Amino acid sequence: MTLNDDVLGRARVTDNEELKAFYAELETHEAGALWTVANDIEPWYPQPKSVPTLWRYADLRPLVLRSLDLVTGDDAGRRVVMLTNPERKDVSAAVGLLYTGLQVMGPGESMTAHRHQASALRFVVEGQGAWTIVDGQKLKVGPGDFAITPNWTWHEHGNESAEGPCIWQDGLDIPLVNAFDANFYEVHPNVYQEPGKVENWSLLTYGAGQLRPYGFGDTWTKPYSPLLAYPWEPTYEALRNAAKAIDGSPYDGVIMEYSNPLTGGSVMPTMSAHMQLLRPGEATLAHRHTGSVVYNVAKGSGHSVIAGRRFDWTRGDIFCVPSWAWHEHANGSDSDDACLFSFNDFPVMRALAFWREEAYPDNDGHQPV
Ligand code: GTQ
């Protein structure tokens, strides 16, 4: 069915002069007639303004590095090249209600501390020496590592390498928080945090996978993961091991969710993240679901078909899948793994009972391109 089918139960009023005068009079009272917009505000299925978009790292990297010479981190607040979906520039979204950008820190650079109501996550793309202090805890992160800055936690970032810059991808729910008019922002009263003595405290305490702290740290009641950083090596090893044992998802290959080790749930209340492995030659089937996803190619190369369009990707490329868009992924190599990091708003979709998912029904499960 098309969006404005002329059927009983859908708005199908034909305007005439009398009605137009009526609408004009309603407008003078800050009011309107529902039937003039009903089919738009209650579509048959989601109508995202966001379009599938791919940002090539080869195009962005030189621009990101150029920003190093143009602004200081502290003058800019954060030195970030943000990625905006063509129809979502007004809310600074990469897709749906998710923001993303590439943040760069020069050798020896460090920035001041702040906190905000938006939650943040990082996926490190390149460089050694990146660190972030989250609520007094210093985390060191390298390429392929995933880290979180839950909402209202103090954070400041830096790069202690003498050699080169560090680039990581930021993912935040800024547009979501703003859509709810719930954003707050605060600068740290001491400008910088005093980091605790033990670096990577949360990883040392909670990072043992199947082993859960017992009698210490297990009374954690905050609504986010006590584990703040998830290194690449054990993540990739977990996927490789699982790939020996299971087929994986028909739509995503071998895919794992970064989880709160105490609850098994998502790392933060609004955003979750995954790492998925596509075996050499593997091509998945198409499906669609509510919720938006931003990907970063962590390893290898291949392509995805999103809403009938093919996007070829290689390491460092970022792309998005809007809500309810058909999508499928393929590893382009017959000898090497491909890995996709992604983050999403699924925890919100599930908490609000908005989650829906379906398989592509025709054509052996693949979209025509
Ligand atoms: O690191 O806190 O890319 O507040 C955008 C807004 C990063 C951050 C961004 C932010 C941050």
Side-chain angles (χ1 to χ4, degrees):
M1 280 196 271
T2 59
L3 274 185
N4 295 303
D5 266 356
D6 183 18
V7 293
L8 202 58
R10 297 298 277 178
R12 47 177 191 165
V13 174
T14 309
D15 291 345
N16 56 35
E17 289 312 311
E18 199 180 357
L19 276 170
K20 283 183 191 154
F22 176 62
Y23 301 152
E25 197 173 336
L26 284 176
E27 237 178 274
T28 67
H29 296 276
E30 312 305 338
L34 170 64
W35 61 87
T36 63
V37 297
N39 295 350
D40 292 331
I41 65 170
E42 293 186 308
W44 294 106
Y45 49 85
Q47 299 291 317
K49 280 192 186 162
S50 307
V51 291
T53 306
L54 182 139
W55 294 269
R56 262 176 233 301
Y57 194 57
D59 294 338
L60 291 171
R61 186 175 184 274
L63 295 164
V64 168
L65 293 176
R66 207 195 315 159
S67 73
L68 270 175
D69 300 324
L70 297 174
V71 290
T72 67
D74 273 337
D75 282 351
R78 298 285 176 259
R79 194 192 298 98
V80 180
V81 170
M82 61 176 189
L83 311 182
T84 45
N85 205 276
E87 295 295 328
R88 301 289 286 159
K89 288 190 167 70
D90 53 339
V91 292
S92 300
V95 62
L97 293 169
L98 297 174
Y99 158 101
T100 202
L102 287 168
Q103 177 157 183
V104 60
M105 291 165 296
E109 187 172 30
S110 66
M111 280 171 262
T112 57
H114 69 196
R115 62 180 176 180
H116 37 66
Q117 201 58 49
S119 301
L121 55 83
R122 331 277 169 195
F123 184 69
V124 183
V125 182
E126 65 170 278
Q128 304 297 330
W131 55 265
T132 176
I133 305 174
V134 180
D135 266 354
Q137 193 184 139
K138 186 164 184 175
L139 318 172
K140 297 238 207 132
V141 287
D145 292 0
F146 166 66
I148 59 170
T149 310
N151 66 16
W152 213 239
T153 55
W154 293 113
H155 54 285
E156 62 196 270
H157 317 308
N159 171 4
E160 63 193 27
S161 149
E163 269 90 70
C166 292
I167 300 177
W168 69 37
Q169 180 183 4
D170 287 323
L172 290 96
D173 55 6
I174 290 171
L176 173 82
V177 179
N178 287 338
F180 284 118
D181 289 329
N183 224 340
F184 293 86
Y185 189 99
E186 223 170 74
V187 170
H188 197 281
N190 303 330
V191 186
Y192 299 101
Q193 298 172 77
E194 196 61 56
K197 284 197 186 67
V198 182
E199 271 173 17
N200 294 330
W201 181 89
S202 78
L203 187 60
L204 296 170
T205 307
Y206 293 102
Q210 66 276 39
L211 293 173
R212 195 181 144 142
Y214 181 76
F216 62 94
D218 50 354
T219 52
W220 177 267
T221 53
K222 295 181 177 166
Y224 54 81
S225 172
L227 179 59
L228 301 175
Y230 300 71
W232 162 252
E233 292 79 9
T235 304
Y236 183 47
E237 192 189 354
L239 289 167
R240 299 260 299 185
N241 286 338
K244 294 176 196 157
I246 56 162
D247 290 341
S249 152
Y251 312 111
D252 285 305
V254 178
I255 182 164
M256 298 229 181
E257 183 177 16
Y258 294 93
S259 67
N260 176 330
L262 296 185
T263 65
S266 61
V267 288
M268 296 186 287
T270 54
M271 292 187 292
S272 183
H274 292 108
M275 182 67 81
Q276 69 193 85
L277 181 148
L278 302 167
R279 298 175 176 89
E282 183 166 4
T284 71
L285 299 177
H287 75 155
R288 66 180 174 185
H289 47 70
T290 47
S292 305
V293 188
V294 179
Y295 292 83
N296 185 306
V297 182
K299 184 177 167 54
S301 56
H303 74 266
S304 300
V305 181
I306 309 165
R309 274 181 67 198
R310 176 176 166 139
F311 294 88
D312 287 277
W313 39 253
T314 190
R315 187 168 183 277
D317 289 351
I318 293 170
F319 62 93
C320 68
V321 173
S323 184
W324 210 236
W326 296 113
H327 57 283
E328 58 198 278
H329 311 293
N331 183 346
S333 167
D334 286 325
S335 53
D336 295 320
D337 297 332
C339 292
L340 298 174
F341 167 81
S342 61
F343 71 93
N344 60 66
D345 55 10
F346 298 172
V348 179
M349 293 295 123
R350 294 210 159 93
L352 302 183
F354 293 163
W355 181 256
R356 278 213 207 189
E357 181 179 9
E358 64 184 34
Y360 192 74
D362 309 317
N363 200 29
D364 292 330
H366 295 286
Q367 306 157 79
V369 183

